[in-house]
Amino acid sequence: MSDQVAASHILIMHTGSERSSATRSPEEALTLIGEIKVELDGGGDFATLAKTHSDCPSSNDGGSLGSFGRGAMVPEFEASAFSLEIGASSDVVETAFGYHLIQRTG
């Protein structure tokens, strides 16, 4: 089992999520991340979708979070990132920060 992964993500925040200034409701955020997932599954480019939609500053880098080890991310995010094959993208992952799509890049 790997001690390090590299990943990118798309984060959609909502009212009530940690560090959020978003005005969308949790339901609106879930709908939006679901629409992005459909676009991604239909062949959309992850980095482009991150730049267009993600509420995380990493969106400027196509969602790239670089490499990180166990314990660096919240448990739900970590579990998903470490379970993916390189190049694969997750289903919607909910954390205290909002809704994520995660792509393992290394």
Side-chain angles (χ1 to χ4, degrees):
M1 187 176 285
S2 176
D3 289 336
Q4 292 271 318
V5 296
S8 296
H9 79 139
I10 298 168
L11 170 63
I12 303 299
M13 298 177 120
H14 55 77
T15 56
S17 58
E18 281 189 36
R19 301 183 193 157
S20 176
S21 59
T23 58
R24 68 178 72 87
S25 71
E27 295 80 14
E28 290 168 328
L30 185 58
T31 297
L32 178 55
I33 198 81
E35 291 169 354
I36 297 166
K37 174 73 171 151
V38 168
E39 196 169 340
L40 182 63
D41 290 348
D45 179 67
F46 196 96
T48 299
L49 291 168
K51 286 179 182 179
T52 303
H53 298 288
S54 184
D55 292 327
C56 182
S58 68
S59 64
N60 294 328
D61 296 321
S64 177
L65 297 171
S67 295
F68 53 89
R70 294 190 182 276
M73 301 293 180
V74 295
E76 306 91 342
F77 191 100
E78 178 182 300
S80 179
F82 276 85
S83 72
L84 293 168
E85 296 291 327
I86 294 172
S89 297
S90 70
D91 288 327
V92 175
V93 176
E94 183 177 8
T95 72
F97 298 98
Y99 298 104
H100 308 256
L101 294 173
I102 304 165
Q103 183 180 62
R104 184 166 173 183
T105 57

